[in-house]
Amino acid sequence: MLDSNLQSGGRLNFDAELIGTLLSPRLLGVANGDALSLNLLDQGIRLEQGELKARFESDAVHVDRLAFSAPYLPPPRDKRFADYTFPAGTGKLSASGLMDLKGGSGDLQITAEHLPLAQRTDRWIIASGTGHARYASKTLMLEGNIRADAGLINQPVSDRPRWSEDVQISGQEPASRVGPPRTVDATLELGDHFYIRASGLEGRLAGQLKVRGEPGEPLRVTGIIAAQDAVFDAYGQRLQVERSIVNFRGPLDDPGLNILALRKGLSVEAGVEVTGTVRRPSVRLVSTPNVPDAEKLSWIV
């Protein structure tokens, strides 16, 4: 009913009485749920072992407890995670708050502990933090501050052409997403174990990102992030990164690049400068002192 990407399950016990009039009915009682589950298929997120305790009073529902466990899928096989100790057990998500039945609004406080936000081969994030969800005027509003416990943006090496994202096949309809309109305003701190491996760049990202979204639009990410302890693969060499700025101004998986990587310790220190985006990088040869491109390439390889 909510979204073709969402799978749900569980048991719900409802014990209440209906009082008032036909024009102004009221519910008094309790609702308890157990073994609840919610699966977001495209992100690889599974919320399981859910528990709900709620009270119906007058025209409102008091959510005293809504809690889920989120099991981890196997992490990416990446050497960058060799020194990271993954949280024991499962991730946790809990919420409490109030929903106004008469006014069609709601307000929930949300807490996440080592919660998987994405578990895909190209985007894998575990995070902790607090958030605030409100529903008013038929719009879901999400706010929060999140810190990544670990993360990886990985662009798989592709050896075959792919359709451009704007190509539509005649006779195939795009998957429908019918959830309520939503706005998002959140801060994501990348922590000490957030890595990128894309377009030849490999390193750790440090900094903060702002995540925002308006009804009917995809989420947009803004922020300037520095890559640390980074190397860049070019022309068969692993070049030392002198400058590495990853500029997010749109989709999470397509940030802008401003990278300078050199082969050091030679009389001519030559390398590459990368601009553009992760999906459409632009590479040019550079050197100090400046020499013709053929000579720059010779010093690199």
Side-chain angles (χ1 to χ4, degrees), residues 14 21 49 56 75 80 90 101 106 120 124 146 169 198 204 209 211 216 225 245 282 285:
F14 184 70
T21 67
Q49 302 175 15
F56 291 85
R80 291 278 178 172
T90 63
L101 298 179
R120 301 175 8 171
W124 191 87
I146 304 169
I169 308 301
R204 181 175 73 86
L209 297 176
V211 183
I225 302 300
I245 298 174
S282 175
L285 297 172

Side-chain angles (χ1 to χ4, degrees), residues 230-234 237-241 261-263 270-272 300:
V231 294
F232 189 82
D233 291 330
Q237 297 286 347
R238 291 177 68 81
L239 306 180
Q240 186 67 38
V241 173
L262 301 172
R263 187 175 183 186
V272 295
I300 292 175

